């Protein structure tokens, strides 16, 4: 039976995916829509909807497809978060974040003088947390899925086995990371090829196809136990890694209580700890809600000023209080309390940057890139799914598990290796986010769903490390305050302040020099990254149709039917 399903699925898939998909960035559909960072994965998701699958089925299929076609961030060797909302009023938050291995300890990235050893939490097998994506998808499927599990994974198996044409962006990235792959992998794999990659080249991952097939056949046991687990263990032994059989066997994904924020006529549903995203988004919205933003022009420096000052205060709280709620007490209610948030802004003086006493850490490595990925799905039942998933840095730790073909994350860098020392995103942390065995590292990922009159209407999220929160925040404001349509809201210029470093990041090519001067004059030091975040969003419109919007900043695209 399973075999038959596989064959019939392959026939269908081959038929519908003939040739390279050329999908729009933004389009309206009648019955359902998906947006993801790669056309092949977008197509996989929309085909699942067409075959009668629901939004969770499509999301599961997209997660596995992205592990193949978007390997710099899509993954089975990483983790992420999912937000779910349906028309019946059910909402859920699924935490499939990686965990520190049992052998991890708080000083594992420090030298004998107690200083952080450069790159130790970033590259190589020691940088990896215990992967959560496969368990996460299995949990999501168990609770909400309607199509058979293997049917959702076969498209990924096929893409890995037969290969797919890479986009220009992907070719450039593979070329850029070549040296790193060669440095951190002892045995050859798909990523260690020394060829000069170019757009349209076919990327084949045979080992990964076998691993995905084991997952298709055996569920999460095909990853956390049996052959895949043995390959991980063998790999760890040969490469000084510490993920043990027990770590894999014990990994669990957790359903958590989503954060619900009331904002004017809307409800914003988002991710609780171990992501900092939901609390931070809640604080930000509460800090600005009473400031009549809709009356302040989008390009008025005052808008930048109000938002940046709120962001600074929120990131200061983040660094102090947030960590894995299974290990530390996070004052969730206190931080999102309206009065607390208003008081946090009480020393804010309009058109004035509140002075910073903190050290300026400068522009950290990898700050501008989009190594995480977000995808959103809407189905004909009016259900929305919003998933942000990551390996952390581009291609995670750069390490491919020998014989298993998948990249390991470098999520351990999201812990605070030493209190006050910034991670790759320049974010600092305290004891709340120090490394402990089995603990989840703090995240900024903010998959979000917005409801109106109790109906889910928007799903959105973004990559971007510490900038994810401000990206989601600003797109939410564009929608709810400035009443922009979804495409405009996603593509509008963005900016970011995270308290430390004391810099206001303004996207390149937006805001001319005279505008930048005005911000300088009120006390902001400015940096110009190429872009901030990369949003994938869907909307269920008032007339019941479905709109998908992929950010102009990436390869993100929409498909549906
Ligand atoms: O969980 C986090 O917040 C980070 N590991 C996300 C990394 C990320 O967004 C990288 N993309 N730029």
């Amino acid at each position: 039976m399973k075999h038959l399903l596989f064959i019939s699925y392959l026939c269908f898939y081959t038929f519908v995916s003939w040739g390279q998909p050329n999908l729009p960035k933004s389009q309206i559909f009648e019955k359902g829509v998906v947006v993801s960072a790669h056309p092949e994965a977008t197509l996989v998701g929309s085909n699942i909807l067409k075959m009668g699958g629901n939004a969770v089925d499509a999301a599961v299929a997209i997660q596995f497809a992205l592990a193949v076609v978007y390997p710099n961030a899509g993954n089975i060797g990483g983790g992420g978060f999912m937000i779910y909302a349906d028309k019946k009023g059910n909402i859920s938050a699924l935490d499939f974040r990686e965990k520190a291995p049992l052998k991890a300890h708080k000083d594992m990235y420090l030298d004998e003088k107690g200083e952080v050893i450069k790159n130790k939490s970033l590259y190589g097998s020691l940088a990896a947390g215990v992967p959560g994506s496969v368990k996460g998808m299995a949990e999501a499927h168990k609770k909400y899925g309607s199509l058979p599990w293997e049917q959702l994974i076969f498209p990924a198996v096929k893409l890995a086995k037969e290969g797919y044409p890479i986009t220009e962006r992907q070719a450039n990235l593979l070329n850029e990371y070549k040296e790193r792959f060669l440095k951190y992998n002892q045995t050859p794999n798909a990523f260690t090829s020394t060829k000069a990659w170019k757009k349209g080249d076919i990327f084949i991952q045979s080992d990964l196809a076998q691993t995905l097939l084991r997952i298709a056949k055996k569920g999460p046991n095909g990853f956390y136990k049996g052959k895949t687990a043995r390959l991980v263990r063998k790999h760890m032994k040969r490469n000084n890694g510490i993920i043990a059989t027990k770590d894999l066997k014990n990994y669990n994904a957790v359903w958590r209580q989503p954060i619900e924020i009331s904002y004017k006529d809307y409800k914003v549903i988002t991710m609780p700890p171990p992501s900092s995203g939901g609390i931070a988004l809640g604080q930000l919205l509460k800090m600005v809600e009473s400031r009549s933003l809709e009356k302040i022009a989008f390009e008025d420096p005052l808008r930048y000023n109000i938002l940046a000052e709120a962001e600074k205060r929120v990131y200061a709280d983040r660094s102090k209080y947030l960590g894995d709620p299974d290990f530390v007490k996070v004052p969730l209610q206190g931080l999102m309390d309206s009065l607390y948030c208003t008081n946090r802004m009480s020393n804010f003086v309009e058109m004035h940057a509140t002075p910073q006493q903190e050290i300026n850490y400068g522009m950290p490595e990898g700050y501008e890139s989009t190594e995480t990925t977000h995808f959103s799905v809407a189905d004909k039942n009016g259900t929305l799914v919003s998933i942000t998933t990551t390996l952390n840095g581009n291609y995670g730790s750069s390490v491919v598990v020998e014989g298993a073909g998948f990249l390991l994350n470098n999520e351990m860098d999201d812990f605070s290796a030493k209190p006050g020392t910034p991670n790759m995103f320049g974010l600092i942390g305290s004891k709340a986010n120090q490394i402990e065995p089995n603990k989840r590292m703090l995240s900024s990922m903010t998959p979000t769903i917005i409801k109106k009159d109790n109906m889910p209407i928007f799903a959105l999220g973004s990559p971007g490390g510490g900038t994810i929160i401000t990206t989601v925040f600003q797109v939410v404001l564009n929608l709810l305050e400035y009443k922009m349509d979804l495409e405009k809201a996603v593509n509008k210029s963005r900016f970011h302040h995270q308290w430390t470093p004391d810099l206001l990041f303004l996207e390149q090519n937006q805001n001319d020099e005279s505008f930048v001067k005005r911000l300088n004059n009120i006390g902001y030091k400015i940096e110009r990254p190429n872009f901030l975040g990369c949003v994938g969003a869907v909307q269920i419109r008032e007339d019941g149709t479905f709109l998908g919007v992929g950010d102009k900043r990436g390869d993100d695209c929409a498909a549906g039917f």
Side-chain angles (χ1 to χ4, degrees):
M1 170 64 185
K2 279 185 180 166
H3 188 64
L4 268 181
L5 258 175
F6 185 24
I7 303 288
S8 62
Y9 186 79
L10 284 192
C11 294
F12 179 79
Y13 186 74
T14 306
F15 172 69
V16 293
S17 68
W18 194 256
Q20 185 167 21
N22 186 11
L23 303 176
K25 285 221 148 282
S26 162
Q27 194 167 323
I28 295 172
F29 299 92
E30 293 294 315
K31 294 191 173 140
V33 65
V34 317
V35 173
S36 90
H38 195 281
E40 295 281 1
T42 302
L43 201 61
V44 165
S46 105
N47 286 340
I48 292 292
L49 291 181
K50 275 186 206 159
M51 292 166 85
N54 63 27
V56 170
D57 292 322
V60 170
I62 294 170
Q63 172 80 32
F64 284 104
L66 283 170
V68 181
V69 299
Y70 199 71
N72 59 311
N75 65 81
I76 55 173
F81 301 117
M82 174 179 106
I83 295 291
Y84 169 100
D86 64 29
K87 259 164 80 173
K88 292 185 211 132
N90 300 311
I91 54 169
S92 322
L94 178 61
D95 167 6
F96 52 101
R97 181 72 161 165
E98 300 90 326
K99 284 181 165 193
L102 287 166
K103 286 210 182 105
H105 57 92
K106 84 175 177 25
D107 297 333
M108 64 188 280
Y109 301 118
L110 305 184
D111 63 18
E112 52 297 341
K113 290 192 197 120
E115 299 302 331
V116 173
I117 303 168
K118 196 166 181 267
N119 289 344
K120 205 170 175 187
S121 62
L122 283 176
Y123 308 117
S125 302
L126 204 58
V130 183
S133 293
V134 178
K135 264 283 167 67
M137 291 306 100
E139 276 296 324
H141 181 256
K142 194 161 81 189
K143 185 158 177 169
Y144 293 116
S146 69
L147 294 182
W149 167 256
E150 58 275 19
Q151 193 174 342
L152 308 178
I153 303 170
F154 290 148
V157 175
K158 180 173 154 64
L159 285 162
K161 188 163 176 256
E162 295 176 9
Y164 60 93
I166 56 176
T167 66
E168 187 165 354
R169 222 181 281 266
Q170 288 186 296
N172 294 340
L173 208 57
L174 282 169
N175 289 331
E176 191 185 324
Y177 279 73
K178 202 169 291 170
E179 293 305 317
R180 209 170 274 170
F181 286 129
L182 288 168
K183 181 167 174 192
Y184 290 103
N185 290 279
Q186 315 307 322
T187 45
N189 56 58
F191 296 88
T192 55
S193 159
T194 50
K195 74 180 275 185
W197 292 103
K198 57 183 188 328
K199 179 182 170 191
D201 281 348
I202 303 296
F203 195 65
I204 295 177
Q205 299 166 84
S206 312
D207 287 342
L208 180 59
Q210 291 306 315
T211 301
L212 287 166
L213 204 52
R214 287 192 288 277
I215 298 168
K217 286 183 181 153
K218 298 191 176 136
N221 285 348
F223 184 84
Y224 295 94
K225 292 181 180 168
K227 181 164 180 188
T228 313
R230 283 197 297 279
L231 287 168
V232 172
R233 187 62 212 125
K234 203 167 134 201
H235 173 98
M236 289 291 151
K237 276 200 170 133
R238 274 167 56 105
N239 295 281
N240 300 321
I242 55 171
I243 297 179
T245 315
K246 205 168 165 192
D247 288 309
L248 293 171
K249 207 174 107 222
N250 291 349
Y251 180 85
N252 62 326
V254 184
W255 291 101
R256 300 199 185 269
Q257 186 63 37
I259 285 183
E260 285 184 76
I261 309 151
S262 294
Y263 189 81
K264 302 204 166 162
D265 297 339
Y266 299 88
K267 268 259 156 66
V268 178
I269 321 286
T270 184
M271 196 66 209
S275 180
S276 59
I279 290 184
L281 182 59
Q283 290 188 293
L284 286 165
L285 290 171
K286 283 181 192 202
M287 284 182 192
V288 303
E289 187 170 11
S290 61
R291 296 202 176 250
S292 306
L293 286 174
E294 78 280 5
K295 296 200 190 107
I296 304 171
F298 196 78
E299 287 309 339
D300 189 328
L302 179 59
R303 186 182 75 92
Y304 287 70
N305 181 219
I306 293 172
L307 268 53
E309 290 308 309
E311 289 169 8
K312 278 155 72 171
R313 285 155 178 80
V314 165
Y315 279 84
D317 282 355
R318 178 195 192 279
S319 67
K320 173 77 180 152
Y321 297 110
L322 297 191
D324 182 349
D326 296 341
F327 283 72
V328 292
K329 205 167 156 23
V330 177
L332 189 142
Q333 300 303 344
L335 286 169
M336 293 209 306
D337 178 74
S338 297
L339 192 60
Y340 172 81
C341 291
T342 311
N343 283 342
R344 288 286 280 141
M345 286 294 270
S346 61
N347 62 345
F348 163 62
V349 179
E350 286 195 358
M351 294 306 282
H352 184 71
T354 311
Q356 265 294 349
Q357 308 311 323
E358 304 300 329
I359 299 156
N360 188 338
Y361 292 116
M363 179 87 168
E365 188 195 341
Y367 201 77
E368 303 170 19
S369 45
T370 57
E371 305 96 345
T372 297
T373 190
H374 181 84
F375 56 98
S376 302
V377 187
D379 71 17
K380 62 178 187 313
N381 306 319
T383 299
L384 291 183
V385 171
S386 182
I387 292 187
T388 313
T389 183
T390 191
L391 290 165
N392 195 24
N394 262 325
Y395 307 108
S397 61
S398 301
V399 172
V400 175
V401 174
E402 290 165 16
F406 67 89
L407 283 152
L408 285 167
N409 66 82
N410 60 350
E411 219 74 68
M412 291 296 282
D413 189 65
D414 272 351
F415 277 117
S416 174
K418 182 181 174 186
T421 303
N423 73 356
M424 76 182 282
F425 301 109
L427 295 167
I428 57 172
S430 65
K431 223 173 155 199
N433 190 32
Q434 86 181 10
I435 304 170
E436 291 178 62
N438 227 7
K439 186 176 178 182
R440 294 174 208 258
M441 52 299 279
L442 186 62
S443 173
S444 302
M445 293 189 283
T446 315
T448 295
I449 289 175
I450 299 174
K451 297 212 297 187
K452 185 156 191 227
D453 303 328
N454 214 23
M455 289 292 142
I457 51 172
F458 295 110
L460 72 152
S462 175
T467 70
I468 293 172
I469 298 166
T470 45
T471 291
V472 173
F473 171 50
Q474 287 170 33
V475 176
V476 168
L477 288 182
N478 291 350
L479 291 167
L480 307 192
E481 283 286 346
Y482 290 94
K483 306 285 179 206
M484 290 178 197
D485 63 49
L486 186 61
E487 191 175 355
K488 201 164 172 195
V490 165
N491 288 324
K492 266 292 192 190
S493 64
R494 298 192 271 263
F495 57 94
H496 170 78
H497 204 307
Q498 63 180 44
W499 178 54
T500 56
D502 187 10
L503 294 169
L504 182 61
F505 295 91
L506 293 186
E507 288 187 313
Q508 286 280 358
N509 307 325
Q510 318 276 358
N511 317 116
D512 59 20
E513 278 316 302
S514 69
F515 183 84
V516 170
K517 272 240 154 61
R518 288 171 76 187
L519 291 176
N520 288 147
N521 289 343
I522 60 170
Y524 291 109
K525 284 174 249 160
I526 310 287
E527 278 282 343
R528 309 300 304 265
N530 286 335
F531 56 86
L532 292 166
C534 188
V535 174
V538 297
Q539 176 184 11
I540 303 179
R541 291 156 31 108
E542 269 175 26
D543 64 2
T545 58
F546 300 84
L547 170 65
V549 174
D551 203 314
K552 64 176 183 187
R553 296 162 179 88
D555 286 335
D556 302 57
C557 52
F561 71 115

